[in-house]
Amino acid sequence: MEPILPPALIVVIGAGHVGKAVVHLAKWLGYRVAVSDDRAEFCNPESVPGADAYYPVAMGKLPEHLQVNQQTYIVITSRGSAVDAAGLPNLLASSPAYIGVIGSRRRWLTTVKALREKGVAEEKIANVHSPMGLELNAETPEEIAVSIMAEILMIKDKGTGKQMKTKQPEA
């Protein structure tokens, strides 16, 4: 007998253009969705419609308001490395199924340096997917959301991320 689990929870931290697109796509895919942003004017149903919950708190305070477990997928689309470095230590102390951070490799290296200076363990840092998403050459917020959600689906369902087409059929 298998337990009946609720749908997995996508937690989007950062309610900008990409965050909004991830919320929309994740809801469409059937996930429960929570939005968090330390700017209350961005973290509400008027600004980001369709989420199941809103947490207008700093990233580091989020674990005080939300239970993070192996059914939780954290998508960080925040506004910069300083915000990430301040908030990630508390999130990394929890055990989400996935934690990803948007941005360039350079931004992630800056964040890693700050996390190390704060004493965050290397194995915790290694659990972060950054830059997050699958390489699709995505440009628009919607395309980036597809890339992020594709990576989450791949990890959740143990996919490979490889193209399904292998070769041309023989005549």
Side-chain angles (χ1 to χ4, degrees), residues 165-171:
K165 176 182 175 183
T166 56
K167 64 180 183 175
Q168 295 294 330
E170 295 180 22

Side-chain angles (χ1 to χ4, degrees), residues 85-145:
L88 271 168
N90 286 349
L91 291 175
L92 291 172
S94 62
S95 295
Y98 172 92
I99 187 163
V101 178
I102 199 167
S104 66
R105 293 187 200 296
R106 185 175 62 218
R107 172 179 165 171
W108 179 237
L109 290 174
T110 301
T111 304
V112 167
K113 182 179 181 212
L115 292 173
R116 287 177 177 148
E117 289 170 1
K118 292 175 184 279
V120 176
E122 289 296 325
E123 59 270 11
K124 292 288 187 179
I125 294 170
N127 288 335
V128 178
H129 297 256
S130 188
M132 71 177 148
L134 297 182
E135 175 53 63
L136 303 177
N137 285 330
E139 293 186 16
T140 67
E142 294 79 11
E143 290 172 345
I144 295 167

Side-chain angles (χ1 to χ4, degrees), residues 17-136:
H17 298 300
V18 173
K20 288 178 185 181
V22 172
V23 168
H24 178 76
L25 182 56
K27 279 305 288 184
W28 184 80
L29 290 169
Y31 288 90
R32 292 178 300 134
V33 180
V35 178
S36 180
D37 197 300
D38 59 348
R39 304 165 296 175
E41 66 272 20
F42 291 100
C43 188
N44 59 63
E46 292 75 35
S47 181
V48 187
D52 298 298
Y54 298 86
Y55 298 96
V57 298
M59 186 189 313
K61 300 275 186 193
L62 190 56
E64 298 171 22
H65 301 272
L66 176 71
Q67 182 181 356
V68 174
N69 58 41
Q70 283 298 303
Q71 283 284 100
T72 308
Y73 296 77
I74 299 174
V75 174
I76 300 173
T77 60
S78 66
R79 57 192 183 277
S81 182
V83 174
D84 299 341
L88 271 168
N90 286 349
L91 291 175
L92 291 172
S94 62
S95 295
Y98 172 92
I99 187 163
V101 178
I102 199 167
S104 66
R105 293 187 200 296
R106 185 175 62 218
R107 172 179 165 171
W108 179 237
L109 290 174
T110 301
T111 304
V112 167
K113 182 179 181 212
L115 292 173
R116 287 177 177 148
E117 289 170 1
K118 292 175 184 279
V120 176
E122 289 296 325
E123 59 270 11
K124 292 288 187 179
I125 294 170
N127 288 335
V128 178
H129 297 256
S130 188
M132 71 177 148
L134 297 182
E135 175 53 63
L136 303 177

